[in-house]
Amino acid sequence: MKPRTLRPYLAGALVGVLATASVLVSTKTLGKSQYLGATTSFVRAAGYIEQAVAPDNVASNPYFQRVKPRLDWQFLMLVGLFFGALAAALLDGSFKLEAVPPIWKDRFGSRVRTRAVGAFLGGIVAMFGARLADGCPSGHGLSGLMQLSISGFLSMMGFFGAGVLVAHLVYRRHAPAGRSS
Amino acid sequence: MSEPMLGLLTGVFFGALLQQGRVLRFEKQVGAMLLRDMTILKFMLTAIVVGMVGVNLLVSLGAAAMSVKTTILGANLIGGVLFGLGWAFMGFCPGTSLGAIAEGRWHAVWALLGMIVGATLFAEAYPVLQDTVLTWGNLGKITLPQVLGVTPWLVIPGVAAGFVLLLGWFEKLDL
Protein backbone atom coordinates (compact mmCIF):
# COMPACT_ATOMS: atom_id res chain seq x y z
CA MET A 1 0.00 0.00 0.00
CA LYS A 2 1.16 3.54 -0.68
CA PRO A 3 0.44 6.27 1.90
CA ARG A 4 -1.47 9.27 0.58
CA THR A 5 1.10 11.57 2.13
CA LEU A 6 4.36 11.05 3.94
CA ARG A 7 4.03 14.39 5.75
CA PRO A 8 3.04 13.13 9.23
CA TYR A 9 5.67 10.36 9.11
CA LEU A 10 8.52 12.65 8.08
CA ALA A 11 7.60 15.38 10.56
CA GLY A 12 7.05 12.75 13.27
CA ALA A 13 10.43 11.09 12.64
CA LEU A 14 12.14 14.49 12.84
CA VAL A 15 10.36 15.20 16.15
CA GLY A 16 11.80 11.91 17.42
CA VAL A 17 15.27 13.14 16.40
CA LEU A 18 14.57 16.55 17.97
CA ALA A 19 13.43 14.95 21.24
CA THR A 20 16.63 12.86 21.35
CA ALA A 21 18.86 15.82 20.48
CA SER A 22 17.10 17.97 23.05
CA VAL A 23 17.65 15.38 25.80
CA LEU A 24 21.34 15.08 24.86
CA VAL A 25 22.08 18.80 24.53
CA SER A 26 20.16 19.79 27.67
CA THR A 27 22.00 17.10 29.66
CA LYS A 28 25.37 18.34 28.36
CA THR A 29 24.78 22.07 28.74
CA LEU A 30 22.26 22.37 31.60
CA GLY A 31 23.06 19.20 33.51
CA LYS A 32 19.38 18.23 33.37
CA SER A 33 17.69 16.01 30.78
CA GLN A 34 14.80 18.02 29.31
CA TYR A 35 11.92 16.12 27.76
CA LEU A 36 9.19 17.68 25.61
CA GLY A 37 6.03 18.63 27.50
CA ALA A 38 3.61 21.52 27.82
CA THR A 39 1.16 21.56 30.71
CA THR A 40 3.48 22.53 33.58
CA SER A 41 3.90 25.89 31.85
CA PHE A 42 0.14 26.48 31.98
CA VAL A 43 0.39 26.25 35.76
CA ARG A 44 3.27 28.73 35.71
CA ALA A 45 1.27 31.08 33.45
CA ALA A 46 -1.75 30.77 35.76
CA GLY A 47 0.58 31.51 38.69
CA TYR A 48 1.86 34.68 37.00
CA ILE A 49 -1.68 35.91 36.40
CA GLU A 50 -2.93 35.03 39.88
CA GLN A 51 0.16 36.64 41.39
CA ALA A 52 -0.92 39.97 39.85
CA VAL A 53 -4.46 39.65 41.26
CA ALA A 54 -4.06 37.76 44.53
CA PRO A 55 -0.37 37.33 45.44
CA ASP A 56 -1.18 35.87 48.88
CA ASN A 57 -3.10 33.02 47.27
CA VAL A 58 -0.09 32.04 45.18
CA ALA A 59 2.29 32.28 48.14
CA SER A 60 0.10 30.03 50.30
CA ASN A 61 -0.92 27.52 47.62
CA PRO A 62 1.11 24.29 47.86
CA TYR A 63 0.79 23.59 44.12
CA PHE A 64 2.07 27.01 43.05
CA GLN A 65 4.91 26.52 45.53
CA ARG A 66 5.79 23.24 43.83
CA VAL A 67 5.36 24.67 40.32
CA LYS A 68 6.54 28.24 40.85
CA PRO A 69 5.82 30.94 38.28
CA ARG A 70 9.11 31.22 36.41
CA LEU A 71 10.35 31.28 32.82
CA ASP A 72 12.04 27.89 32.58
CA TRP A 73 13.12 25.69 29.66
CA GLN A 74 9.62 24.41 28.91
CA PHE A 75 7.96 27.84 29.11
CA LEU A 76 10.41 29.26 26.56
CA MET A 77 10.05 26.08 24.49
CA LEU A 78 6.33 26.92 24.12
CA VAL A 79 7.15 30.51 23.12
CA GLY A 80 9.49 29.07 20.49
CA LEU A 81 6.79 26.60 19.38
CA PHE A 82 4.50 29.52 18.59
CA PHE A 83 7.09 31.31 16.45
CA GLY A 84 8.25 28.11 14.73
CA ALA A 85 4.69 27.26 13.72
CA LEU A 86 4.07 30.86 12.61
CA ALA A 87 7.19 30.91 10.43
CA ALA A 88 6.40 27.51 8.87
CA ALA A 89 2.78 28.50 8.15
CA LEU A 90 3.78 31.79 6.57
CA LEU A 91 6.60 30.25 4.52
CA ASP A 92 4.47 27.55 2.87
CA GLY A 93 1.33 29.69 2.61
CA SER A 94 -0.81 27.47 4.87
CA PHE A 95 -1.56 30.31 7.32
CA LYS A 96 -5.33 30.77 7.37
CA LEU A 97 -7.52 32.84 9.65
CA GLU A 98 -10.25 30.62 11.06
CA ALA A 99 -12.91 31.56 13.62
CA VAL A 100 -14.83 28.27 13.60
CA PRO A 101 -13.33 24.95 12.42
CA PRO A 102 -15.05 22.70 9.82
CA ILE A 103 -16.30 19.72 11.88
CA TRP A 104 -17.53 22.08 14.60
CA LYS A 105 -19.41 24.18 12.04
CA ASP A 106 -21.33 21.15 10.75
CA ARG A 107 -22.44 20.27 14.25
CA PHE A 108 -22.90 23.59 16.07
CA GLY A 109 -23.11 26.20 13.27
CA SER A 110 -20.78 29.07 12.49
CA ARG A 111 -21.45 31.33 15.49
CA VAL A 112 -18.21 32.48 17.04
CA ARG A 113 -19.75 32.67 20.51
CA THR A 114 -20.81 29.00 20.53
CA ARG A 115 -17.32 27.94 19.49
CA ALA A 116 -15.77 30.23 22.11
CA VAL A 117 -17.87 28.73 24.92
CA GLY A 118 -17.19 25.15 23.78
CA ALA A 119 -13.45 25.65 23.44
CA PHE A 120 -13.20 27.57 26.72
CA LEU A 121 -15.11 24.98 28.78
CA GLY A 122 -13.28 22.16 27.02
CA GLY A 123 -10.00 23.87 27.90
CA ILE A 124 -10.90 24.09 31.59
CA VAL A 125 -11.81 20.39 31.85
CA ALA A 126 -8.88 19.22 29.72
CA MET A 127 -6.26 21.16 31.66
CA PHE A 128 -7.67 20.08 35.02
CA GLY A 129 -7.45 16.49 33.76
CA ALA A 130 -3.96 16.95 32.33
CA ARG A 131 -2.63 18.30 35.63
CA LEU A 132 -4.30 15.48 37.54
CA ALA A 133 -2.77 12.93 35.16
CA ASP A 134 0.51 14.93 35.32
CA GLY A 135 0.84 15.33 31.56
CA CYS A 136 -0.67 15.81 28.12
CA PRO A 137 -0.16 14.15 24.71
CA SER A 138 3.34 15.72 24.66
CA GLY A 139 4.50 14.91 28.18
CA HIS A 140 2.77 11.54 28.58
CA GLY A 141 2.27 10.69 24.91
CA LEU A 142 5.58 11.56 23.30
CA SER A 143 8.03 11.78 26.20
CA GLY A 144 6.31 9.18 28.40
CA LEU A 145 6.04 6.50 25.73
CA MET A 146 9.58 7.15 24.46
CA GLN A 147 10.68 6.10 27.95
CA LEU A 148 8.10 3.26 28.02
CA SER A 149 6.62 4.63 31.24
CA ILE A 150 3.48 2.95 32.57
CA SER A 151 1.93 6.35 33.40
CA GLY A 152 2.33 7.27 29.70
CA PHE A 153 0.49 4.17 28.50
CA LEU A 154 -2.33 4.59 31.05
CA SER A 155 -2.82 8.30 30.41
CA MET A 156 -2.83 7.88 26.64
CA MET A 157 -5.49 5.18 27.00
CA GLY A 158 -7.55 7.69 28.99
CA PHE A 159 -6.96 10.55 26.52
CA PHE A 160 -7.89 8.59 23.42
CA GLY A 161 -10.51 6.34 25.02
CA ALA A 162 -12.52 9.28 26.33
CA GLY A 163 -11.76 11.42 23.27
CA VAL A 164 -13.06 8.77 20.84
CA LEU A 165 -16.18 8.15 22.92
CA VAL A 166 -17.06 11.82 23.47
CA ALA A 167 -16.26 12.85 19.88
CA HIS A 168 -18.58 10.13 18.57
CA LEU A 169 -21.38 11.23 20.92
CA VAL A 170 -20.91 14.90 20.06
CA TYR A 171 -20.09 15.09 16.36
CA ARG A 172 -21.51 11.99 14.72
CA ARG A 173 -25.01 13.13 13.84
CA HIS A 174 -25.79 10.17 11.64
CA ALA A 175 -24.61 7.50 14.02
CA PRO A 176 -25.71 3.94 13.04
CA ALA A 177 -27.65 3.59 16.30
CA GLY A 178 -29.77 6.54 15.20
CA ARG A 179 -29.05 8.88 18.08
CA SER A 180 -31.23 11.93 17.81
CA SER A 181 -29.22 15.05 18.55
CA MET B 1 23.77 28.16 25.84
CA SER B 2 21.46 29.37 28.59
CA GLU B 3 18.40 27.40 29.67
CA PRO B 4 15.83 29.84 28.20
CA MET B 5 17.68 30.14 24.87
CA LEU B 6 17.96 26.37 24.53
CA GLY B 7 14.24 26.00 25.28
CA LEU B 8 13.35 28.68 22.75
CA LEU B 9 15.43 27.07 20.02
CA THR B 10 14.00 23.58 20.70
CA GLY B 11 10.50 25.08 20.55
CA VAL B 12 11.07 26.77 17.19
CA PHE B 13 11.95 23.40 15.63
CA PHE B 14 9.11 21.61 17.45
CA GLY B 15 6.57 24.21 16.30
CA ALA B 16 7.73 24.13 12.69
CA LEU B 17 7.55 20.31 12.63
CA LEU B 18 4.09 20.22 14.25
CA GLN B 19 2.92 22.72 11.62
CA GLN B 20 4.49 20.82 8.73
CA GLY B 21 3.06 17.54 9.99
CA ARG B 22 -0.37 19.26 9.83
CA VAL B 23 -1.24 18.07 13.32
CA LEU B 24 -2.11 21.46 14.82
CA ARG B 25 -5.60 21.58 13.35
CA PHE B 26 -8.94 20.96 15.03
CA GLU B 27 -10.13 18.75 12.16
CA LYS B 28 -7.02 16.54 12.45
CA GLN B 29 -7.37 16.08 16.21
CA VAL B 30 -11.13 15.54 16.22
CA GLY B 31 -10.73 13.56 12.98
CA ALA B 32 -8.57 11.07 14.89
CA MET B 33 -11.12 10.83 17.72
CA LEU B 34 -13.82 10.15 15.09
CA LEU B 35 -11.49 7.46 13.66
CA ARG B 36 -11.63 9.15 10.23
CA ASP B 37 -8.19 10.69 9.85
CA MET B 38 -5.23 9.22 11.70
CA THR B 39 -2.71 11.96 10.82
CA ILE B 40 -1.95 12.80 14.44
CA LEU B 41 -1.39 9.14 15.31
CA LYS B 42 0.93 8.66 12.33
CA PHE B 43 2.88 11.68 13.56
CA MET B 44 2.93 10.66 17.24
CA LEU B 45 3.71 6.97 16.81
CA THR B 46 6.56 7.71 14.36
CA ALA B 47 8.00 10.30 16.76
CA ILE B 48 7.71 7.81 19.65
CA VAL B 49 9.47 4.99 17.77
CA VAL B 50 12.40 7.22 16.73
CA GLY B 51 12.61 8.97 20.11
CA MET B 52 12.30 5.67 22.01
CA VAL B 53 15.39 4.28 20.28
CA GLY B 54 17.26 7.60 20.59
CA VAL B 55 16.50 8.31 24.23
CA ASN B 56 17.14 4.75 25.40
CA LEU B 57 20.42 4.75 23.49
CA LEU B 58 21.49 7.93 25.32
CA VAL B 59 20.48 6.45 28.67
CA SER B 60 22.24 3.12 27.95
CA LEU B 61 25.39 5.06 27.02
CA GLY B 62 25.14 7.11 30.19
CA ALA B 63 24.73 10.35 28.23
CA ALA B 64 21.32 11.27 29.67
CA ALA B 65 18.93 10.46 32.49
CA MET B 66 15.34 9.24 32.30
CA SER B 67 12.59 11.50 33.55
CA VAL B 68 9.74 9.09 34.23
CA LYS B 69 6.45 10.40 35.62
CA THR B 70 4.97 8.64 38.64
CA THR B 71 2.26 6.11 37.91
CA ILE B 72 -0.80 6.80 40.06
CA LEU B 73 -3.62 4.66 38.73
CA GLY B 74 -6.45 6.90 39.95
CA ALA B 75 -4.84 10.16 38.84
CA ASN B 76 -3.60 8.87 35.46
CA LEU B 77 -6.92 7.28 34.54
CA ILE B 78 -9.36 9.88 35.95
CA GLY B 79 -7.15 12.74 34.74
CA GLY B 80 -6.73 11.03 31.38
CA VAL B 81 -10.48 10.63 30.91
CA LEU B 82 -11.14 14.26 31.93
CA PHE B 83 -8.51 15.39 29.45
CA GLY B 84 -10.11 13.32 26.67
CA LEU B 85 -13.53 14.80 27.44
CA GLY B 86 -12.30 18.38 27.25
CA TRP B 87 -10.04 17.59 24.28
CA ALA B 88 -13.02 16.51 22.15
CA PHE B 89 -14.61 19.96 22.58
CA MET B 90 -11.39 21.95 22.41
CA GLY B 91 -9.92 20.12 19.42
CA PHE B 92 -6.40 21.03 20.52
CA CYS B 93 -4.01 19.76 23.13
CA PRO B 94 -2.07 22.23 25.31
CA GLY B 95 1.02 22.48 23.10
CA THR B 96 -0.84 22.47 19.79
CA SER B 97 -3.23 25.23 20.89
CA LEU B 98 -0.32 27.69 20.72
CA GLY B 99 0.75 26.41 17.32
CA ALA B 100 -2.84 26.56 16.08
CA ILE B 101 -3.08 30.24 17.00
CA ALA B 102 0.20 30.82 15.15
CA GLU B 103 -1.31 29.10 12.08
CA GLY B 104 -4.22 31.56 12.09
CA ARG B 105 -6.77 29.26 13.78
CA TRP B 106 -7.42 31.97 16.31
CA HIS B 107 -10.37 30.21 18.00
CA ALA B 108 -7.67 28.26 19.85
CA VAL B 109 -7.35 31.43 21.97
CA TRP B 110 -10.58 30.41 23.77
CA ALA B 111 -9.07 27.00 24.47
CA LEU B 112 -5.86 28.61 25.74
CA LEU B 113 -7.78 30.89 28.12
CA GLY B 114 -9.85 27.94 29.34
CA MET B 115 -6.68 25.94 30.02
CA ILE B 116 -5.18 28.73 32.12
CA VAL B 117 -8.41 28.81 34.16
CA GLY B 118 -8.28 25.01 34.39
CA ALA B 119 -4.70 25.15 35.73
CA THR B 120 -5.78 27.72 38.34
CA LEU B 121 -8.70 25.54 39.43
CA PHE B 122 -6.40 22.54 39.71
CA ALA B 123 -3.99 24.50 41.91
CA GLU B 124 -6.91 25.49 44.17
CA ALA B 125 -8.16 21.89 44.33
CA TYR B 126 -4.67 20.45 44.86
CA PRO B 127 -4.74 20.32 48.69
CA VAL B 128 -7.86 18.10 48.53
CA LEU B 129 -6.66 16.01 45.57
CA GLN B 130 -3.29 15.46 47.24
CA ASP B 131 -4.95 13.40 49.98
CA THR B 132 -7.42 11.59 47.72
CA VAL B 133 -7.10 10.90 43.96
CA LEU B 134 -3.35 11.51 43.99
CA THR B 135 -2.88 8.66 46.47
CA TRP B 136 -5.07 6.09 44.69
CA GLY B 137 -2.77 3.39 43.41
CA ASN B 138 0.63 5.06 43.57
CA LEU B 139 3.03 2.58 41.97
CA GLY B 140 6.03 4.89 41.71
CA LYS B 141 8.08 5.83 38.66
CA ILE B 142 7.75 2.55 36.80
CA THR B 143 8.39 1.61 33.18
CA LEU B 144 7.23 -1.32 31.07
CA PRO B 145 10.69 -2.96 31.00
CA GLN B 146 10.89 -2.71 34.83
CA VAL B 147 7.47 -4.33 35.23
CA LEU B 148 8.46 -7.12 32.84
CA GLY B 149 11.86 -7.40 34.51
CA VAL B 150 13.82 -7.18 31.25
CA THR B 151 16.14 -4.73 29.49
CA PRO B 152 14.40 -1.96 27.47
CA TRP B 153 16.10 -3.37 24.36
CA LEU B 154 13.83 -6.41 24.52
CA VAL B 155 10.69 -4.27 24.81
CA ILE B 156 11.55 -1.60 22.20
CA PRO B 157 11.40 -3.91 19.13
CA GLY B 158 8.03 -5.27 20.29
CA VAL B 159 6.48 -1.84 20.83
CA ALA B 160 7.96 -0.55 17.55
CA ALA B 161 6.61 -3.55 15.63
CA GLY B 162 3.16 -3.07 17.18
CA PHE B 163 3.12 0.60 16.18
CA VAL B 164 4.28 -0.17 12.62
CA LEU B 165 1.55 -2.80 12.22
CA LEU B 166 -1.05 -0.32 13.48
CA LEU B 167 0.15 2.35 11.05
CA GLY B 168 0.13 -0.12 8.17
CA TRP B 169 -3.45 -0.95 9.06
CA PHE B 170 -4.43 2.75 9.04
CA GLU B 171 -2.90 3.12 5.58
CA LYS B 172 -4.71 0.03 4.34
CA LEU B 173 -8.02 1.49 5.54
CA ASP B 174 -7.04 4.80 3.91
CA LEU B 175 -7.41 6.70 7.19
Side-chain angles (χ1 to χ4, degrees):
Chain A
M1 79 223 99
K2 195 170 172 290
R4 261 180 306 179
T5 168
L6 288 175
R7 232 175 222 290
Y9 297 111
L10 289 175
L14 288 172
V15 165
V17 173
L18 176 68
T20 308
S22 154
V23 167
L24 178 64
V25 174
S26 60
T27 310
K28 293 276 172 235
T29 61
L30 310 175
K32 183 176 188 299
S33 305
Q34 294 286 359
Y35 288 81
L36 298 173
T39 51
T40 313
S41 301
F42 282 79
V43 179
R44 298 196 204 279
Y48 271 117
I49 294 168
E50 201 172 326
Q51 216 161 36
V53 191
D56 296 345
N57 260 12
V58 177
S60 64
N61 181 295
Y63 199 62
F64 283 132
Q65 287 317 299
R66 232 183 70 174
V67 188
K68 286 201 173 79
R70 68 185 183 91
L71 298 176
D72 65 345
W73 182 90
Q74 190 195 81
F75 203 104
L76 267 296
M77 193 278 284
L78 291 176
V79 174
L81 190 160
F82 177 89
F83 287 104
L86 178 66
L90 291 176
L91 283 174
D92 80 347
S94 56
F95 182 92
K96 191 182 97 185
L97 285 177
E98 178 186 271
V100 181
I103 299 172
W104 182 277
K105 205 177 275 182
D106 292 343
R107 176 64 182 84
F108 293 109
S110 47
R111 282 186 62 171
V112 172
R113 199 190 303 168
T114 317
R115 173 63 190 140
V117 171
F120 183 73
L121 294 178
I124 294 178
V125 176
M127 184 51 69
F128 192 94
R131 286 328 300 160
L132 186 57
D134 195 23
C136 59
S138 294
H140 269 314
L142 297 178
S143 302
L145 291 191
M146 281 174 194
Q147 300 177 75
L148 297 163
S149 82
I150 298 293
S151 57
F153 285 102
L154 289 176
S155 303
M156 283 298 281
M157 275 163 41
F159 299 163
F160 273 96
V164 166
L165 185 72
V166 175
H168 277 80
L169 291 174
V170 173
Y171 301 104
R172 271 192 61 172
R173 301 185 86 169
H174 309 290
R179 252 187 94 252
S180 57
S181 53
Chain B
M1 202 185 293
S2 71
E3 178 179 333
M5 276 310 292
L6 192 60
L8 194 69
L9 188 68
T10 310
V12 168
F13 283 109
F14 192 29
L17 290 170
L18 286 165
Q19 202 279 333
Q20 286 299 298
R22 302 290 189 248
V23 294
L24 296 171
R25 298 170 190 176
F26 177 96
E27 61 269 30
K28 295 292 181 191
Q29 305 215 0
V30 174
M33 294 178 228
L34 289 171
L35 309 175
R36 285 179 194 161
D37 178 343
M38 292 302 176
T39 302
I40 66 165
L41 277 163
K42 295 175 190 178
F43 175 88
M44 286 188 79
L45 297 186
T46 311
I48 291 165
V49 170
V50 174
M52 180 168 66
V53 174
V55 166
N56 277 285
L57 209 55
L58 292 179
V59 172
S60 289
L61 295 171
M66 291 276 216
S67 172
V68 175
K69 293 173 190 283
T70 310
T71 295
I72 305 169
L73 298 176
N76 290 147
L77 289 172
I78 297 171
V81 165
L82 282 176
F83 180 86
L85 168 67
W87 188 25
F89 283 93
M90 197 164 45
F92 303 109
C93 43
T96 57
S97 68
L98 288 161
I101 298 169
E103 236 191 352
R105 278 69 177 176
W106 62 269
H107 55 95
V109 168
W110 312 122
L112 185 72
L113 294 173
M115 287 190 284
I116 291 173
V117 173
T120 312
L121 291 178
F122 181 81
E124 296 303 326
Y126 183 72
V128 176
L129 296 169
Q130 205 177 10
D131 298 328
T132 52
V133 189
L134 289 165
T135 62
W136 297 347
N138 187 334
L139 303 178
K141 295 177 188 291
I142 51 170
T143 66
L144 189 55
Q146 281 170 0
V147 171
L148 297 174
V150 296
T151 150
W153 296 106
L154 272 178
V155 180
I156 289 168
V159 172
F163 284 2
V164 170
L165 281 176
L166 191 62
L167 292 173
W169 188 56
F170 291 159
E171 289 299 341
K172 205 170 152 190
L173 295 175
D174 205 22
L175 292 172

